[in-house]
Structure formats: C-alpha cells, structure tokens
Amino acid sequence: MVEVEEVNVVEEEPKTVEKVNSNNGSANSKKMEPLEFMPYVSPYLKQPPQDPIHFFVLVASLLCFFMKYKVFGWVGVFLAASGLANHKYKGDYSAFSQMLVAVMSTAMVYVQENFPEPQAQA
C-alpha cells in the first residue's frame, strides 16, 4: 500500500514594485496583481496531420540531385505541384518550399550535365 503525504499550499502576498516618480524623485510602492496565465493553444491543433506527399517530394528531389536522374526530378515537381494545388491550411508555407526544392533540384541536374569539351580550332 502506498502512503500519500498531504501538502499544504500557502498563498504568497503579491509582490511590490518600486517605481520612481519623475516629478519629485520619490519611490512609490504599487502592488502587482498576480499574472493570469493563459495556456498556449496551437492554431494547428484542430487540423489533421500533414500529407505524406511532402516526404515523397523530398525523397524524389534528393534522388534527382544526388543520383542525377532527371525522371525523379520531374516526379518531384509533379508531386510538389499536386501538393500545392491541394494545400488547405492557412499560414503553412511548406507546400511552397517543397515546390522550390523540387524545381531547384531538377534545374541543377540540367545545369550539371557533362557537356562535351569544345574542339580546339587549328
């Protein structure tokens, strides 16, 4: 059997703040009221979890960027565009950033292609 100890709660008096009066320089005591704490409620609390499409966009973009497969880049762009079109939440800009990641990884594959070196003219 577990014994439970009783705890007595003692209320403290409100603290005082010394304020200096600019007119005569004397210090006035003013009692501070205890703060009323309001719990933080997240604006995203009632929203369903995010779509898993963001994960797939990131995976396709990384495969495109590191493996140099253009197909994965275009798949990432398509997934990001469909995620942006189905975007429902105000104040959540992850769909825009996913679109930028997909487009930039696809563009970098085209920029980093191995072009043949120009022939020297004789």
Side-chain angles (χ1 to χ4, degrees):
M1 190 177 256
V2 178
E3 295 181 18
V4 178
E5 296 180 17
E6 292 185 23
V7 178
N8 294 331
V9 178
V10 179
E11 293 185 20
E12 296 180 8
E13 294 182 17
K15 297 178 182 178
T16 60
V17 174
E18 300 291 329
K19 288 189 174 181
V20 176
N21 191 353
S22 61
N23 295 336
N24 57 11
S26 65
N28 296 330
S29 295
K30 182 179 181 182
K31 289 189 177 183
M32 289 179 54
E33 297 296 325
L35 297 175
E36 295 180 13
F37 292 103
M38 295 178 56
Y40 174 74
V41 178
S42 175
Y44 302 108
L45 188 61
K46 296 179 183 178
Q47 295 178 353
Q50 292 290 326
D51 295 332
I53 198 163
H54 298 299
F55 175 74
F56 294 123
V57 169
L58 185 64
V59 168
S61 298
L62 288 175
L63 282 174
C64 170
F65 186 74
F66 289 115
M67 301 298 179
K68 305 289 189 259
Y69 293 136
K70 297 175 191 170
V71 173
F72 285 117
W74 289 109
V75 166
V77 169
F78 174 76
L79 289 174
S82 65
L84 184 61
N86 295 325
H87 186 70
K88 299 175 189 172
Y89 310 123
K90 293 180 180 176
D92 181 23
Y93 300 109
S94 62
F96 298 110
S97 62
Q98 292 292 322
M99 190 68 186
L100 288 175
V101 166
V103 169
M104 291 308 295
S105 65
T106 306
M108 288 305 293
V109 169
Y110 282 100
V111 169
Q112 294 175 355
E113 280 183 1
N114 294 327
F115 293 109
E117 293 183 14
Q119 299 292 327
Q121 295 181 3

